[in-house]
Amino acid sequence: MSNKKDTPNDPEALPDAEVAKPAQTATQSVSVAVRLQPVEHSQQPIFSNFATVQAGTGVVFIDFGFLEPQTMAHLARLGQPGVSVPEAIAGTLACRMALSLDTVANLANQLNQLLRNAAAAQGQAAQAVAPAAEGAAAGPIH
C-alpha cells in the first residue's frame, strides 16, 4: 500500500513550485516546436493513395492504404454505363493509426490550414497569370 506522500499529485509531497495550480487567466494558444526522434525506419515516408476513418470508443482509427494505379482508374469509372462494381477491392494496408479525439481535432485543424494556404496560393497564381494572358491577347501581333 502506498503512502499519500508517494503520490506525485499530492500537494504535500511536492514543493510549491511543482504543484499545478489552476490558471488565473484565460487560455491562450501557444506554439511550441516539437522535434520527433526517428526510431528504426520511422523517418521514411509511407506512400498512401487511400484512407479510411473508423470511430472507436474515445479513439479514431485511420487506415492508410495503397491501391494500384489501375485499380484507382477503375474506381474513377464506377457509375458509368457498362462498368461493373466489384464486390471488394484488394489493396495494401500501409499504416494504421489510433488517435485520440484531441489529436484528430488537431490534425483536422492542421490539414484545414494547409488546404486554405494551398487554395490561397493557387488563387494568387491564377490572378498573376490572368493579367498577363489578357495583355498578350490585347496587344498587337507582329
Side-chain angles (χ1 to χ4, degrees):
M1 191 155 224
S2 69
N3 183 339
K4 273 191 149 195
K5 297 280 185 193
D6 295 335
T7 308
N9 292 331
D10 187 1
E12 295 172 3
L14 298 173
D16 288 343
E18 294 180 295
V19 176
K21 297 190 168 118
Q24 300 295 326
T25 60
T27 304
Q28 297 180 19
S29 177
V30 177
S31 179
V32 177
V34 176
R35 291 186 185 96
L36 300 175
Q37 297 299 318
V39 178
E40 295 178 13
H41 299 290
S42 64
Q43 77 277 12
Q44 296 297 320
I46 299 171
F47 184 74
S48 172
N49 60 4
F50 182 79
T52 62
V53 178
Q54 301 168 14
T57 306
V59 177
V60 174
F61 296 99
I62 304 175
D63 291 335
F64 295 95
F66 180 78
L67 302 176
E68 293 296 328
Q70 63 268 22
T71 303
M72 295 294 285
H74 181 73
L75 288 175
R77 292 191 311 267
L78 289 179
Q80 294 178 355
V83 178
S84 62
V85 177
E87 187 175 309
I89 296 172
T92 303
L93 177 64
C95 178
R96 172 172 256 203
M97 304 295 296
L99 306 173
S100 70
L101 296 176
D102 290 341
T103 303
V104 171
N106 186 19
L107 176 62
N109 288 337
Q110 291 180 52
L111 290 172
N112 285 328
Q113 183 64 44
L114 180 108
L115 292 172
R116 281 192 296 271
N117 291 345
Q122 283 183 336
Q124 289 175 352
Q127 287 177 353
V129 171
E134 288 175 8
I141 299 175
H142 296 287

